[in-house]
Amino acid sequence: MNEEQNIFHKYLEKHDLRDTPQRELILQIFLRREGHISAEQLYDIVKKRDPSIGQATVYRVLKLLIEAGLAREIDFGDGVIRYEHKYNHPHHDHLVCRGCGKTLEVVDSVIEELQKRVAESYGFELTDHEMYLYGYCENCRQKRQ
Amino acid sequence: MNEEQNIFHKYLEKHDLRDTPQRELILQIFLRREGHISAEQLYDIVKKRDPSIGQATVYRVLKLLIEAGLAREIDFGDGVIRYEHKYNHPHHDHLVCRGCGKTLEVVDSVIEELQKRVAESYGFELTDHEMYLYGYCENCRQKRQ
DNA sequence: ATTGTAATTGATAATCATTATCATTAGCAA
DNA sequence: TTGCTAATGATAATGATTATCAATTACAAT
């Protein structure tokens, strides 16, 4: 059993929640997928392995994963919330191509530090932030010429 | 007639769109309000002056304002799109208090420059970005002690 | 002014992701 | 095994936004 599974089980135990096959299956599938996944995409995969699972349960488990610290929400502003791994996957921002939709994870420690300073200069204590950089990737730029 | 109204009328003319009292009224009210406003909030104000106006028209005019370059969307991730003035209101980011919801507009030219460089280092040509800084303002920090 | 035409409007239905409801099922501690 | 309560699946509800469509209206040409 890996560390994420351990965290999940401990979270369940601590909160008097039950260990069900649905939760196990959805957790497995989420953990095997890298990158961003929407609730619907996850549900589609889950259905293939167990068609009896309802999508409400997928939404419910995703909420649990967030509370347990295993997942994190991302909102690209297209009306769909996506989820990504949080465990051993430190904070980062996203670079999104307006042409093909490709996304890259980026971090710049100088920007991170400056954000903190900007917030403090207004009396704020920064807890977190979101930064989305939009543009055109190399491929899409050539196509647009 | 002020500059924004001028821009709006020129936009209408250029696109063979008609000048209607509904569009005029909604424009007026939008221009008089500073800050962020949702479609629903705008509709509530519009209704008081002309109860016959439907909310679909408010949505439609907001779209026009964006196309005409007079408004800009903001998405705080709470499921409601807000609108703010764009004319003579240069780009900025938002500092949002997780306690009371207060928002401040902030800009840091160094961050802006670094964002461009980060994007370029991945071969991207940056067109725009969003940055939301979340934390607790001075007031809310004291209350939480 | 009148008219013709295409844009506009308001009312309302539709959409779509997400959440709530609720009767049934099933963990799990005793 | 039993009893209690959480969990599930099906489905309805929600809420912001968008689409539809018949009736109205702006506006250019007459």
Side-chain angles (χ1 to χ4, degrees):
Chain A
M1 178 153 72
N2 71 26
E3 193 55 30
E4 284 108 314
Q5 287 175 305
N6 235 319
I7 292 175
F8 189 62
H9 291 142
K10 277 183 187 154
Y11 181 83
L12 293 181
E13 197 173 354
K14 189 175 173 187
H15 293 79
D16 283 311
L17 301 171
R18 292 171 184 173
D19 189 14
T20 69
Q22 291 91 338
R23 285 177 177 169
E24 289 296 337
L25 177 59
I26 295 168
L27 171 66
Q28 302 302 329
I29 292 174
F30 175 76
L31 291 179
R32 287 201 206 299
R33 296 280 295 198
E34 278 300 330
H36 322 121
I37 191 170
S38 68
E40 197 188 356
Q41 289 174 316
L42 183 55
Y43 174 55
D44 284 342
I45 301 169
V46 167
K47 254 192 312 191
K48 287 181 191 157
R49 290 240 226 138
D50 183 347
S52 73
I53 293 185
Q55 63 179 331
T57 300
V58 173
Y59 277 101
R60 287 189 279 239
V61 175
L62 281 170
K63 276 227 154 61
L64 282 182
L65 294 180
I66 290 171
E67 288 161 19
L70 295 175
R72 176 195 288 134
E73 294 185 341
I74 327 171
D75 180 2
F76 289 122
D78 62 352
V80 187
I81 296 170
R82 274 162 247 272
Y83 302 84
E84 66 175 15
H85 291 196
K86 186 171 177 183
Y87 179 77
N88 267 350
H89 198 154
H91 160 76
H92 54 265
D93 298 298
H94 292 94
L95 182 53
V96 184
C97 177
R98 289 228 184 260
C100 60
K102 181 172 67 180
T103 71
L104 294 177
E105 300 181 354
V106 298
V107 190
D108 185 295
S109 58
V110 182
I111 291 180
E112 304 275 324
E113 178 58 31
L114 288 174
Q115 287 170 329
K116 205 178 289 181
R117 285 202 210 154
V118 168
E120 280 166 7
S121 75
Y122 286 96
F124 274 61
E125 186 184 334
L126 199 60
T127 57
D128 60 308
H129 72 264
E130 286 171 54
M131 187 172 81
Y132 296 98
L133 304 179
Y134 297 101
Y136 289 95
C137 72
E138 198 128 28
N139 270 346
C140 290
R141 253 164 54 214
Q142 292 175 347
K143 286 184 193 159
R144 282 157 59 83
Q145 292 308 41
Chain B
M1 178 153 73
N2 71 26
E3 193 55 29
E4 284 108 314
Q5 288 175 304
N6 235 320
I7 291 173
F8 188 62
H9 290 142
K10 278 184 186 154
Y11 181 83
L12 293 181
E13 197 173 355
K14 187 174 172 187
H15 293 78
D16 282 314
L17 301 171
R18 291 172 184 171
D19 189 13
T20 69
Q22 291 92 337
R23 286 177 175 168
E24 289 295 335
L25 177 60
I26 295 168
L27 171 67
Q28 302 301 329
I29 292 174
F30 174 77
L31 291 179
R32 288 200 206 300
R33 296 280 293 201
E34 279 300 330
H36 322 119
I37 191 170
S38 67
E40 197 188 356
Q41 289 174 316
L42 183 54
Y43 175 54
D44 285 341
I45 301 168
V46 166
K47 256 192 309 192
K48 287 182 192 158
R49 292 241 225 135
D50 183 348
S52 73
I53 292 184
Q55 64 178 331
T57 301
V58 172
Y59 277 101
R60 287 189 279 238
V61 174
L62 281 170
K63 275 226 156 60
L64 281 182
L65 294 180
I66 289 170
E67 288 162 18
L70 295 174
R72 175 196 289 135
E73 293 184 342
I74 326 172
D75 180 1
F76 289 123
D78 63 351
V80 187
I81 296 169
R82 275 162 247 273
Y83 302 84
E84 66 175 17
H85 290 196
K86 185 171 178 185
Y87 180 78
N88 268 349
H89 199 155
H91 160 76
H92 54 265
D93 298 299
H94 291 95
L95 182 53
V96 183
C97 178
R98 288 225 184 263
C100 60
K102 180 172 68 180
T103 71
L104 293 177
E105 300 180 355
V106 299
V107 189
D108 185 295
S109 58
V110 181
I111 292 180
E112 304 275 323
E113 178 58 30
L114 287 174
Q115 287 169 328
K116 205 178 290 181
R117 285 202 210 156
V118 169
E120 280 166 8
S121 75
Y122 287 95
F124 274 60
E125 186 184 333
L126 199 60
T127 56
D128 60 307
H129 71 265
E130 287 171 55
M131 186 171 82
Y132 296 97
L133 305 178
Y134 297 101
Y136 289 95
C137 71
E138 198 128 28
N139 270 346
C140 290
R141 253 164 53 213
Q142 292 175 348
K143 285 183 195 160
R144 282 157 59 85
Q145 293 308 40

